């Protein structure tokens, strides 16, 4: 009985070819819908106003800031050509006093941090302006490549005189008060930054993906397809898909554990795709399945059907634990015993327990890789014939992927590539490259500032 229960649980996470195709079709439908919708609740397919990628040959010095909920990073990025960059970076903690003070105090502080960076790199540009790219991890309504109205902040911020104002004006006001010749040339999303920064390193890059605590992607679309865009005329544009906001129960192969995660989330029915693949939720899927199996005495029989308190806490089983366990290639999966003893105080695991826990973790990791590959396939199909040419025997298409899940989860890249081969076929897949991209936030912002400054934006 326990074997059947365990197998039933594991098999829920194994996707059939039909299920994978449904994911591709469902996401494609949402990608198309996002191009035309004017529904303010639909945040997908956001125009970036960036119309071309770098070639890797550009040179020059560009500045960047990456402002998140905890820290401000400032960077001076030297583009050296041949896809090479030199980066000088500083990180500053955003204090609670700044978060709850005036907008002027915040933007004066950002200017002071920028001045500190410029002093550190000893920049002397004479009378020339320094061009800056900005990654801003808060809600804005972007109206041009370098302009956006601040809509909301959250993350503990309660600044006066900021909401409804243009971010470029706020930043440049601070720079002017500190006599800094800095011009905001671009405001970007970090996923767009990932695509642009990796295209500088690897010019065949046509898609940028983030796969970490959350997930998102950016790609190049024909502007004629983006009917909701009403700006200056251009042939193509990078779109921020916000695929984290996609995914519907109608086509996603949700298990009861996925549905449980969704039900207790802050916004049930939202980000259902992300809840099945990203780093925040993979470990929680393992925990929920383990709790269910323990209660049915189908695993860890040494516990007698009683779930330890440490395993009852939401998000207690970290995705990091999955990585640790999958990294252990020993036949007896000894890392399982170590993680369960150290993190949950559970001892007395049998060899069968170790094998079953390893297999459960493996299929959940595999599903994430396969679903991410399906989402990438949807973008490849959508862009095919314009920025991507899947059947051109001489064209390589690179997908630049940033984030801890892709970088650190064992065999994730290999699993994704295997899945893409199954979806696209061996011939097409042989010309797809999955590459680790780094720091779309700062390097990407500086590169977008360069592209914008050199006429690659509208």
């Amino acid at each position: 009985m326990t074997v059947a229960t365990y197998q039933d649980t594991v098999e829920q996470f194994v996707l059939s070819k039909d299920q994978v195709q449904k994911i591709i079709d469902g996401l494609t439908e949402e990608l198309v819908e996002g191009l035309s919708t004017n529904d303010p609740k639909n945040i997908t397919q956001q125009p970036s106003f960036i119309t071309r990628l770098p070639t890797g040959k550009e040179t020059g010095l560009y500045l960047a800031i990456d402002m998140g909920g905890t820290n401000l990073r400032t960077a001076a990025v030297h583009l050296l050509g041949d896809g090479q960059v030199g980066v000088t970076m500083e990180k500053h903690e955003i204090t609670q006093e700044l978060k709850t003070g005036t907008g002027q105090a915040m933007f004066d502080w950002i200017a002071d941090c920028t001045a500190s960076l410029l002093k550190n790199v000893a920049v002397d540009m004479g009378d020339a302006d320094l061009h800056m790219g900005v990654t801003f991890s808060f809600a804005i309504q972007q109206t041009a490549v370098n302009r956006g109205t601040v809509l909301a902040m959250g993350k503990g911020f309660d600044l006066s005189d900021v909401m409804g104002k243009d971010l470029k004006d706020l930043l440049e006001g601070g720079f002017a008060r500190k006599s800094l010749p800095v011009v905001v040339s671009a405001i970007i999303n970090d996923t767009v930054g990932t695509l642009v920064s990796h295209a500088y390193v690897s010019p065949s890059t046509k898609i940028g993906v983030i796969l970490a605590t959350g997930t998102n992607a950016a790609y190049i679309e024909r502007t004629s397809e983006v009917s909701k865009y009403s700006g200056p005329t251009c042939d193509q544009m990078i779109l921020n898909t916000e695929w984290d906001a996609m995914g519907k129960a109608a086509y996603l192969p949700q298990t009861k554990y996925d549905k449980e995660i969704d039900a207790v989330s802050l916004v049930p029915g939202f980000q259902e795709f992300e809840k099945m693949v990203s780093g925040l939720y993979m470990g929680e899927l393992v925990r929920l399945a383990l709790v269910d199996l323990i209660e049915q005495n189908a695993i860890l029989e040494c516990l007698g059907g009683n779930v330890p308190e440490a395993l009852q806490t939401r998000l207690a089983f970290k995705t990091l634990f999955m990585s640790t366990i999958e990294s252990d290639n020993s036949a007896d999966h000894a890392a399982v015993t170590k993680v369960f003893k150290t993190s949950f105080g559970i001892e007395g695991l049998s060899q069968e327990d170790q094998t079953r826990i390893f297999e459960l973790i493996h299929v959940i990791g595999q599903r994430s890789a396969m679903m991410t590959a399906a989402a990438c396939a949807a973008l490849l199909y959508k862009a095919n014939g314009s920025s991507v040419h899947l059947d051109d025997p001489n064209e390589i298409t690179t997908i630049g992927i940033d984030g801890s899940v892709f970088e650190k989860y064992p065999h994730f890249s290999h699993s994704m590539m295997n899945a893409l081969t199954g979806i696209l076929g061996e011939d097409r897949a042989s010309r797809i490259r999955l590459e680790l991209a780094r720091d779309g936030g700062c390097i990407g912002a500086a590169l977008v500032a360069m592209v914008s400054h050199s006429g690659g934006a509208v």
Side-chain angles (χ1 to χ4, degrees), residues 56-132:
K57 297 176 182 177
E58 298 90 348
T59 58
L61 173 69
Y62 293 87
L63 304 181
I65 60 173
D66 182 359
M67 184 172 175
T70 307
N71 297 306
L72 173 78
R73 292 190 301 159
T74 60
V77 178
H78 292 265
L79 305 181
L80 306 172
D82 296 321
Q84 301 296 308
V85 296
V87 183
T88 303
M89 191 177 296
E90 294 181 357
K91 185 162 79 170
H92 306 268
E93 183 180 354
I94 305 171
T95 65
Q96 193 59 35
E97 184 181 359
L98 280 168
K99 288 181 181 182
T100 55
T102 65
Q104 181 167 325
M106 173 63 79
F107 289 98
D108 281 354
W109 175 76
I110 291 172
D112 286 338
C113 293
T114 304
S116 166
L117 173 79
L118 294 176
K119 185 178 180 182
N120 188 11
V121 295
V123 172
D124 182 8
M125 298 286 286
D127 295 328
D129 287 334
L130 289 162
H131 292 269
M132 173 180 278

Side-chain angles (χ1 to χ4, degrees), residues 17-296:
K17 198 168 182 178
D18 284 349
Q19 287 175 314
V20 172
Q21 190 58 50
K22 278 185 178 178
I23 294 168
I24 296 169
D25 293 344
L27 287 173
T28 300
E29 196 174 296
E30 292 197 57
L31 287 167
V32 172
E33 181 187 348
L35 295 172
S36 60
T37 182
N38 289 309
D39 180 356
K41 292 180 182 176
N42 187 332
I43 62 169
T44 65
Q45 298 288 60
Q46 294 288 330
S48 70
F49 301 90
I50 302 155
T51 58
R52 68 169 176 84
L53 291 170
T55 64
K57 297 176 182 177
E58 298 90 348
T59 58
L61 173 69
Y62 293 87
L63 304 181
I65 60 173
D66 182 359
M67 184 172 175
T70 307
N71 297 306
L72 173 78
R73 292 190 301 159
T74 60
V77 178
H78 292 265
L79 305 181
L80 306 172
D82 296 321
Q84 301 296 308
V85 296
V87 183
T88 303
M89 191 177 296
E90 294 181 357
K91 185 162 79 170
H92 306 268
E93 183 180 354
I94 305 171
T95 65
Q96 193 59 35
E97 184 181 359
L98 280 168
K99 288 181 181 182
T100 55
T102 65
Q104 181 167 325
M106 173 63 79
F107 289 98
D108 281 354
W109 175 76
I110 291 172
D112 286 338
C113 293
T114 304
S116 166
L117 173 79
L118 294 176
K119 185 178 180 182
N120 188 11
V121 295
V123 172
D124 182 8
M125 298 286 286
D127 295 328
D129 287 334
L130 289 162
H131 292 269
M132 173 180 278
V134 178
T135 299
F136 192 66
S137 300
F138 305 92
I140 62 169
Q141 179 64 51
Q142 197 153 353
T143 53
V145 68
N146 61 352
R147 289 200 173 272
T149 305
V150 181
L151 299 179
M153 294 196 70
K155 302 181 186 180
F157 283 76
D158 185 20
L159 296 173
S160 61
D161 304 321
V162 167
M163 300 309 149
K165 294 193 176 177
D166 192 282
L167 183 59
K168 176 181 170 75
D169 294 338
L170 291 166
L171 285 163
E172 290 183 354
F175 297 142
R177 288 190 292 275
K178 301 293 179 174
S179 302
L180 296 178
V182 177
V183 173
V184 175
S185 295
I187 297 168
I188 69 161
N189 162 280
D190 59 354
T191 314
V192 171
T194 296
L195 169 54
V196 174
S197 65
H198 201 66
Y200 186 78
V201 175
S202 184
S204 61
T205 306
K206 300 297 166 61
I207 294 173
V209 174
I210 288 182
L211 189 60
T213 306
T215 184
N216 193 11
Y219 76 112
I220 305 159
E221 182 59 271
R222 287 167 286 218
T223 314
S224 59
E225 295 275 302
V226 193
S227 58
K228 70 179 179 185
Y229 171 71
S230 57
T233 304
C234 55
D235 292 332
Q236 62 177 22
M237 183 178 291
I238 297 173
L239 298 185
N240 164 25
T241 67
E242 290 292 353
W243 79 15
D244 56 309
M246 295 183 188
K248 295 175 181 175
Y251 66 81
L252 292 175
Q254 292 174 314
T255 66
K256 65 178 180 180
Y257 311 114
D258 295 301
K259 291 173 183 174
E260 191 172 337
I261 284 175
D262 183 49
V264 301
S265 66
L266 287 173
V267 188
F270 179 60
Q271 298 185 317
E272 294 190 71
F273 172 74
E274 178 173 281
K275 289 168 185 170
M276 295 178 73
V277 303
S278 75
L280 180 60
Y281 302 103
M282 287 164 67
E284 179 67 357
L285 284 167
V286 173
R287 187 191 72 83
L288 290 171
L290 283 172
V291 166
D292 192 23
L293 290 167
I294 291 168
E295 287 175 344
Q296 297 181 70

